[in-house]
């Protein structure tokens, strides 16, 4: 059985009294910075002056500085800006100011694994990837709990790379839930695959086709929305809490029979073949190259596809129905 590292395995002293530079204050950056600070670590927050993140950070009690200033003298630099912004941030602000023997930390292995960032050989290169959105990383920490994390070591010239990564995960609250060791290739490739084939791409396409099938057959759009989107959360929550076993325990016998006999007709073996093709594109670097070229071109295809998603009829129906759901409204207002 794979070892899960817990609180007793961490050596927080390897980061105590050290300067940790956190670059970025988005979903993960904010959670990392606040959790690390409240765990007693010395954190310098590096942000683009004058941006929205700068203002939000000041509201959270930070005195942010420019990215370059944050990196100067830092013993660990956490790069937590979006993937496609990381290479330029590294080139402009991190590389010129990174001190020898420092550690470079990522929350996703994309740029290191695909060679967009090539750190110097005297630098520890590590990863700590919480397996949840930043908001949940923060909330669980505040409640005295944590979310599971993945840790990985890409370079270890100091001999302390793993201990540094585990101490950082400990500061996030990750060792309360459990920390699993992986490597940059496995984390990057499985993460991209999960997003594309199941969690985002797969789920949204399944919802879209289910909704369209019912509406085109003459059923009310509202009924189609409830059956194909709204109730998905109920099923996902059951699976999240107890796997397929709990889902089968709490749905009707009719639902179970339909699941077991009709599900394989919808998601048939050809879907697995498509998934294998997507995984091959990820492993070969084809997807990473395509995404980098799309960014250089100004995101024309991305914007067109995104707009098509946002303009789908299910969005108008869903917005209208959600406005009547009192238990959802507070979350929607908080997200604005």
């Amino acid at each position: 059985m794979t070892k899960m590292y817990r609180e007793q395995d961490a050596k927080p002293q390897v980061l105590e009294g050290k300067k940790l530079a956190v670059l970025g204050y988005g979903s993960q950056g904010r959670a990392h910075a606040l959790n690390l600070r409240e765990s007693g670590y010395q954190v310098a927050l590096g942000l683009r002056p004058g941006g929205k993140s700068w203002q939000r950070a000041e509201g959270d009690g930070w005195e942010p500085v420019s990215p370059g200033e944050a990196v100067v003298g830092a013993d660990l630099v956490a790069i937590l800006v979006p993937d496609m912004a990381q290479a330029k941030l590294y080139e402009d602000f991190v590389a010129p100011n990174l001190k020898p023997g420092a550690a470079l930390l990522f929350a996703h292995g994309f740029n290191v694994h695909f060679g967009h960032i090539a750190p110097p050989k005297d630098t520890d290169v590590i990863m700590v990837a919480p397996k949840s959105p930043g908001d949940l990383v923060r909330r669980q920490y505040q409640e005295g709990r944590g979310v599971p994390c993945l840790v990985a070591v890409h370079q270890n010239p100091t001999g302390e790379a793993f201990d540094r990564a585990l101490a950082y995960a400990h500061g996030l609250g990750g060792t309360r839930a459990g920390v699993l060791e992986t490597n940059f290739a496995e984390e990057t490739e499985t993460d991209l695959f999960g997003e594309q084939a199941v969690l985002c791409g797969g789920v949204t396409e399944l919802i879209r086709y289910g909704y369209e099938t019912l509406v085109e057959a003459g059923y009310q759009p509202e009924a189609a929305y409830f059956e194909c989107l709204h109730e998905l959360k109920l099923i996902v929550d059951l699976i999240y809490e107890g796997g397929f076993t709990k889902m089968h325990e709490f749905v009707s016998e009719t639902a179970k029979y339909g699941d077991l006999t009709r599900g394989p007709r919808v998601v048939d073996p050809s879907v697995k073949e498509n998934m294998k093709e997507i995984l091959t594109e990820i492993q070969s670097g084809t997807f990473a190259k395509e995404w980098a070229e799309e960014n250089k071109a100004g995101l024309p295809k991305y914007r067109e596809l995104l707009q098509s998603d946002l303009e789908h009829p299910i969005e108008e129906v869903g917005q209208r129905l959600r406005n009547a759901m009192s238990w959802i409204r507070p979350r929607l207002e908080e997200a604005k």
Side-chain angles (χ1 to χ4, degrees):
M1 183 176 177
T2 304
K3 176 177 174 60
M4 292 290 284
Y5 293 88
R6 306 286 182 176
E7 290 181 281
Q8 65 270 19
D9 300 308
K11 300 176 182 177
Q13 62 270 22
V14 302
L15 294 182
E16 289 173 355
K18 307 293 185 180
K19 178 182 178 182
L20 312 184
V22 172
L23 308 183
Y25 207 65
S27 174
Q28 289 291 338
R30 181 174 184 270
H32 286 223
L34 291 171
N35 290 8
L36 291 169
R37 182 173 69 179
E38 291 174 21
S39 290
Y41 294 159
Q42 178 187 333
V43 181
L45 188 60
L47 303 174
R48 179 172 57 86
K52 291 183 178 179
S53 293
W54 185 287
Q55 298 171 8
R56 188 179 191 191
E58 288 183 325
D60 288 337
W62 294 97
E63 294 181 3
V65 296
S66 69
E69 186 177 346
V71 173
V72 171
D75 299 283
L76 182 149
V77 178
I79 298 181
L80 302 176
V81 298
D83 288 336
M84 289 297 107
Q86 289 186 10
K88 183 168 176 54
L89 177 77
Y90 176 80
E91 180 182 351
D92 292 349
F93 301 107
V94 180
N97 298 299
L98 191 64
K99 78 175 188 180
L104 198 58
L105 181 142
F106 299 84
H108 179 38
F110 187 95
N111 280 286
V112 171
H113 179 57
F114 291 116
H116 298 158
I117 293 176
K121 296 300 182 183
D122 66 351
T123 301
D124 283 356
V125 180
I126 57 180
M127 176 174 58
V128 175
K131 299 311 294 176
S132 79
D135 179 62
L136 186 59
V137 174
R138 179 62 182 152
R139 284 190 284 114
Q140 288 293 294
Y141 180 90
Q142 290 176 303
E143 293 171 8
R145 297 190 290 267
V147 303
C149 293
L150 300 179
V151 299
V153 174
H154 181 71
Q155 290 183 183
N156 185 23
T158 68
E160 290 191 332
F162 180 80
D163 287 342
R164 285 170 151 180
L166 192 56
Y168 186 99
H170 181 74
L172 297 184
T175 53
R176 300 171 182 172
V179 175
L180 176 68
E181 186 175 8
T182 184
N183 57 61
F184 273 59
E186 182 175 69
E187 185 278 336
T188 302
E189 292 168 5
T190 57
D191 186 78
L192 292 174
F193 176 81
E195 292 169 350
Q196 295 172 24
V198 181
L199 305 176
C200 300
V203 168
T204 54
E205 289 305 300
L206 193 63
I207 292 171
R208 179 201 304 272
Y209 285 136
Y211 175 87
E212 291 175 355
T213 298
L214 288 177
V215 172
E216 289 166 9
Y219 297 102
Q220 295 181 77
E222 293 80 3
Y225 174 87
F226 281 127
E227 291 303 325
C228 297
L229 190 154
H230 178 78
E231 292 191 26
L232 180 66
K233 182 183 186 311
L234 308 179
I235 301 302
V236 169
D237 283 350
L238 291 173
I239 296 173
Y240 178 81
E241 293 167 4
F244 294 165
T245 301
K246 185 167 184 178
M247 186 271 286
H248 284 305
E249 180 183 350
F250 283 88
V251 299
S252 70
E253 293 298 313
T254 304
K256 278 192 281 190
Y257 182 73
D259 164 11
L260 298 171
T261 61
R262 268 57 176 180
R265 290 169 56 184
V266 175
V267 181
D268 64 20
S270 67
V271 174
K272 189 173 182 180
E273 292 305 310
N274 291 337
M275 288 181 168
K276 289 180 178 179
E277 185 176 344
I278 286 171
L279 180 58
T280 298
E281 291 174 357
I282 291 168
Q283 293 170 327
S284 68
T286 300
F287 170 77
K289 181 180 179 182
E290 177 187 321
W291 179 222
E293 290 175 350
E294 176 69 12
N295 273 267
K296 289 179 183 177
L299 301 172
K301 182 178 179 182
Y302 166 85
R303 295 184 195 282
E304 179 184 347
L305 294 173
L306 179 61
Q307 193 60 33
S308 175
D309 241 21
L310 299 179
E311 291 176 353
H312 191 279
I314 199 173
E315 287 297 279
E316 185 276 325
V317 173
Q319 183 64 53
R320 178 159 41 82
L321 292 175
R322 289 191 294 270
N323 285 339
M325 299 177 192
S326 59
W327 63 94
I328 289 180
R329 281 206 310 271
R331 287 188 181 184
L332 296 175
E333 291 165 3
E334 183 180 326
K336 291 180 179 178

